[in-house]
Amino acid sequence: MYILAFETSCDETSVAVIENGKSILSNLVESQVKIHNKTGGIVPEVAAREHLKCISQLTNKSLEIAKLQLEDIDCIASTMGPGLPGALIVGFSFARSMSYSLSKPFIPVDHIEGHIAANWLEDQSPELPAVALVVSGGHTELILVKENLTFERLGGTRDDAAGEAFDKVSRMLDAGYPGGPAISKLASEATSMNLKFPRAWLRNTNDFSFSGLKTAVLNYIKNEPNSSAQEIAWAFQDSVVDVLTKKTIDAAQAIDAKSIIIAGGVAANKDLRNNFLQKSIIPVHIPAPALCTDNAAMIGAAAFNHIDQAILPESIIDIYSTMTRGELFLDKK
Ligand code: KG4
Ligand code: ZN
């Protein structure tokens, strides 16, 4: 089964072709980072226009790399939310119209579920039930993935998302955007590891908080203007990694999870990956870094799971419901 998948929820246009839910035949990602860098952040209207500019060309290229024609595609999938509404509408409408004109089934996919599903593109799929930590620019969520691939939210951030904290601290240190890779690089150059920033444990909950840490970093920079950016980046990252790892492992142990899943852009972070692999006795699944940040292959993987399990894409969308639920057109089922 060939799935043509689209992702346009934020500042990356991505089109992928997935074979049988596992093989990535193509996964093109057109980033708008350079454009948004000029304004110091994403302008939603600009993001939507940029998606419009490149989506059809990217689709042709993606099919060409996969060595397929549109007629070979069995099913079309697209992110339906959460994300920037204008940006989402571009990819969603393009994909939906394509499915309509070709009379192919259409599967709307929740973006968070897509991040989790990236782990099904790896050789070994996670054993269920699993606890998934989704850490991106917009989300920090702990989600229980049940045996039938439905979801239950266990907790999440009460303020900033982990990726957002990376981005903001990077701005404070003038290290560039996106902040995650910039902070990670600075941290790896630190020569002293004595600085320690606070950790918000929020004990007896599965929740997180990063705004206090952000303020602590800001105050430290103000009070110690000559301090080392590398050391600050290391101490900030250490605090985030420590809390994310311990709380996720605790949540997984509490429910006897068979595996831990890490997903989302921040899962590309080397220290986070290593810390999980070192500390957890429960098997840890983390996608390759290119499949952690926004991409359409993960949307194709989630769509395939829906077909495979014959489930409606409603569980996570019910929790976040930032967009009206889409329709499921599985004519072939
Ligand atoms: O999943 P994603 O590509 O987009 C959203 O759905 O938000 O995540 C983007 C976020 C950004 O905040 C970025 O700074 C962060 O992921 N990120 C990282 C790393 N690479 C990307 N954070 C920490 N370390 C990284 N290596
Ligand atoms: Zn994302």
Side-chain angles (χ1 to χ4, degrees):
M1 162 169 295
Y2 296 118
I3 298 179
L4 178 64
F6 295 87
E7 155 63 39
T8 65
S9 68
C10 194
D11 59 347
E12 261 125 12
T13 320
S14 181
V15 185
V17 179
I18 303 299
E19 185 180 6
N20 297 328
K22 267 280 183 239
S23 310
I24 304 173
L25 301 189
S26 60
N27 185 25
L28 297 177
V29 181
E30 180 81 24
S31 173
Q32 304 172 2
V33 162
K34 279 188 190 145
I35 293 158
H36 299 302
N37 239 336
K38 289 181 202 149
T39 41
I42 298 167
V43 179
E45 173 68 22
V46 175
R49 281 166 194 251
E50 290 301 318
H51 287 310
L52 255 182
K53 271 191 206 164
C54 67
I55 196 160
S56 44
Q57 220 179 356
L58 218 55
T59 306
N60 290 341
K61 242 197 219 169
S62 203
L63 285 165
E64 199 183 305
I65 292 169
K67 298 192 171 60
L68 293 174
Q69 310 284 326
L70 258 186
E71 308 81 76
D72 303 322
I73 297 296
D74 296 295
C75 174
I76 293 169
S78 173
T79 306
M80 66 180 296
L84 303 172
L88 284 164
I89 285 167
V90 175
F92 192 87
S93 305
F94 187 87
R96 182 71 191 94
S97 311
M98 192 175 258
S99 90
Y100 181 78
S101 60
L102 296 167
S103 300
K104 306 270 183 186
F106 178 69
I107 302 188
V109 172
D110 179 281
H111 182 75
I112 305 287
E113 186 183 344
H115 274 302
I116 294 173
N119 284 281
W120 270 257
L121 291 165
E122 301 295 334
D123 287 344
Q124 209 166 6
S125 300
E127 255 197 276
L128 303 177
V131 165
L133 170 71
V134 182
V135 266
S136 69
H139 293 271
T140 298
E141 313 284 347
L142 269 181
I143 291 166
L144 169 63
V145 186
K146 299 180 191 171
E147 274 105 330
N148 59 358
L149 267 172
T150 58
F151 305 87
E152 186 185 317
R153 185 179 188 266
L154 300 173
T157 185
R158 293 185 184 175
D159 39 60
D160 291 354
E164 194 182 347
F166 268 94
D167 295 336
K168 285 180 178 162
V169 168
S170 180
R171 204 177 306 165
M172 291 176 205
L173 294 173
D174 229 353
Y177 178 86
I183 292 287
S184 173
K185 182 168 180 293
L186 269 183
S188 70
E189 293 159 3
T191 48
S192 150
M193 282 141 195
N194 296 322
L195 184 59
K196 190 159 177 161
F197 285 125
R199 280 116 166 98
W201 290 111
L202 306 179
R203 305 233 182 247
N204 303 318
T205 74
N206 287 313
D207 287 346
F208 300 93
S209 166
F210 296 107
S211 69
L213 170 62
K214 200 180 62 190
T215 310
V217 175
L218 187 64
N219 288 338
Y220 186 83
I221 295 171
K222 271 191 197 152
N223 296 334
E224 308 281 342
N226 296 322
S227 53
S228 137
Q230 285 82 354
E231 201 180 332
I232 294 170
W234 178 85
F236 161 77
Q237 180 176 273
D238 186 53
S239 172
V240 175
V241 166
D242 193 16
V243 173
L244 290 177
T245 311
K246 284 202 184 116
K247 293 206 70 159
T248 305
I249 292 175
D250 283 353
Q253 282 174 341
I255 61 135
D256 267 335
K258 292 215 172 96
S259 52
I260 288 176
I261 292 170
I262 323 285
V266 182
N269 185 277
K270 238 188 266 163
D271 282 45
L272 184 72
R273 299 168 82 91
N274 290 340
N275 205 44
F276 263 104
L277 295 171
Q278 275 168 17
K279 305 252 164 80
S280 176
I281 47 168
I282 300 173
V284 178
H285 295 258
I286 319 173
L291 294 174
C292 288
T293 44
D294 288 350
N295 67 90
M298 69 186 199
I299 301 303
F304 182 84
N305 283 348
H306 282 292
I307 299 166
D308 206 33
Q309 300 271 328
I311 48 172
L312 292 169
E314 60 188 358
S315 15
I316 292 191
I317 267 306
D318 277 349
I319 303 166
Y320 298 102
S321 65
T322 54
M323 272 188 89
T324 320
R325 184 177 308 160
E327 306 150 279
L328 183 76
F329 290 95
L330 281 177
D331 334 326
K332 287 199 171 167
K333 193 86 209 156

